[in-house]
Amino acid sequence: MKLRIILFLLYSSLSFGQKPLEIVIDSITSSDTLGTIRKFTVNYHIQNTLDKEVKFINCSYPMTNFYPDVNVLKVYSVIVENDNYIRLNILEKNLGYLQHLDSLNNAESDEAKAKIRVAYIKRKPRDTTKMKEEVERRRRINDFDYVKSSIHTFQPKEVRSLTETFYWNKRRYYKVDDLKYYIDEKEPYYLELSMVLYKKDFQYFFPEEEYKKMKDNPNFLEGTILSNKMEINFKE
């Protein structure tokens, strides 16, 4: 799923003429205190560059069956080398899942791998139950009210400073179907952040007249915005 989202970002990004909304990476720091996993802390800000209020929907529902938290801005990461996008999932936001994969890769036998999988599955129901309860809570909200609550508003010239945390298990060789890639420690790599803004996809969740107002409002944004690129540490 994440790979499909990344591909969507790369091939359907929209360039706003005057860039009313900007994402700017301010800094990237790395830490190797998690053993074989490197932690990246990315500080960035989102700014409304206009003297007018702007609105947008940054929620992936109804493209998914999951009811995400509409209060959290969804930002995706893309790795770039020599101006070429690497169309593979190198960074992970879920530390627990990455540690699980790391344990499997380091297991010395099939028996050890089986024990690791069983232990992971035993932990999983607690997370799954919590997630299902939260999804049910959101489902009880009327679809129109839910989607309407997902509209974000930035006041004129408003700036929001945010932080994202990503993890890398220092894996260098990647293969997904026919996609292969090697992360060369001698080459520079760059991080770019992306954010998708929706409008047309949600038209059937709004009364016709209300959606028409959204559609005709040039300051109700739609498309994909991309940040600046900043070097990320994939060296040994």
Side-chain angles (χ1 to χ4, degrees):
M1 178 64 184
K2 183 179 175 184
L3 181 59
R4 289 199 297 270
I5 291 173
I6 289 176
L7 293 175
F8 167 76
L9 292 174
L10 297 182
Y11 294 117
S12 62
S13 60
L14 171 69
S15 296
F16 295 109
Q18 54 184 138
K19 293 187 177 180
L21 201 67
E22 289 186 343
I23 305 179
V24 178
I25 301 176
D26 298 307
S27 66
I28 304 174
T29 57
S30 61
S31 170
D32 286 339
T33 58
L34 297 170
T36 59
I37 294 175
R38 180 168 295 170
K39 175 182 176 181
F40 296 102
T41 302
V42 181
N43 295 307
Y44 67 101
H45 66 268
I46 301 175
Q47 179 177 5
N48 174 10
T49 64
L50 302 182
D51 293 321
K52 303 175 182 178
E53 176 184 272
V54 298
K55 295 178 179 290
F56 58 87
I57 296 174
N58 176 233
C59 169
S60 57
Y61 180 82
M63 277 63 77
T64 68
N65 293 323
F66 182 60
Y67 284 64
D69 186 349
V70 296
N71 296 312
V72 178
L73 290 170
K74 310 298 186 300
V75 174
Y76 302 99
S77 63
V78 181
I79 300 300
V80 184
E81 183 199 17
N82 295 326
D83 293 326
N84 296 316
Y85 290 100
I86 300 175
R87 296 175 291 147
L88 295 168
N89 302 330
I90 295 173
L91 299 181
E92 176 62 57
K93 288 187 179 183
N94 188 329
L95 175 60
Y97 179 66
L98 193 59
Q99 288 174 325
H100 169 65
L101 293 181
D102 207 36
S103 297
L104 287 175
N105 290 334
N106 294 326
E108 296 180 353
S109 66
D110 290 341
E111 182 181 356
K113 287 183 179 180
K115 289 181 179 179
I116 291 169
R117 289 191 181 99
V118 169
Y120 184 72
I121 291 171
K122 284 183 177 179
R123 291 196 303 270
K124 200 65 179 171
R126 294 196 294 270
D127 298 333
T128 302
T129 299
K130 183 178 179 181
M131 183 181 73
K132 284 182 177 178
E133 290 174 352
E134 180 60 15
V135 170
E136 278 304 313
R137 182 188 71 79
R138 293 172 189 168
R139 276 198 181 121
R140 286 193 290 270
I141 304 172
N142 176 277
D143 271 345
F144 170 66
D145 291 334
Y146 176 81
V147 173
K148 192 170 184 179
S149 69
S150 71
I151 297 175
H152 292 271
T153 301
F154 271 62
Q155 298 303 320
K157 300 296 184 180
E158 181 180 352
V159 179
R160 295 186 194 177
S161 297
L162 303 158
T163 300
E164 288 281 352
T165 302
F166 299 101
Y167 301 94
W168 175 53
N169 61 0
K170 299 184 181 179
R171 176 182 171 190
R172 296 201 174 272
Y173 179 72
Y174 293 82
K175 183 179 184 300
V176 178
D177 299 327
D178 61 338
L179 293 174
K180 298 179 182 179
Y181 204 86
Y182 181 78
I183 302 294
D184 189 340
E185 65 171 307
K186 296 179 182 179
E187 295 294 329
Y189 293 87
Y190 299 86
L191 177 69
E192 182 178 88
L193 298 179
S194 308
M195 189 164 69
V196 184
L197 315 180
Y198 299 98
K199 183 161 58 174
K200 184 178 180 180
D201 300 276
F202 286 82
Q203 62 179 306
Y204 300 111
F205 288 82
F206 289 90
E208 184 176 351
E209 188 59 33
E210 187 151 354
Y211 175 71
K212 188 177 185 305
K213 291 178 181 178
M214 289 169 51
K215 181 182 177 181
D216 296 340
N217 181 1
N219 295 320
F220 200 112
L221 308 179
E222 183 179 29
T224 301
I225 57 174
L226 306 174
S227 75
N228 58 315
K229 299 177 181 68
M230 184 170 288
E231 188 168 359
I232 187 168
N233 179 19
F234 283 152
K235 301 183 186 301
E236 288 293 344

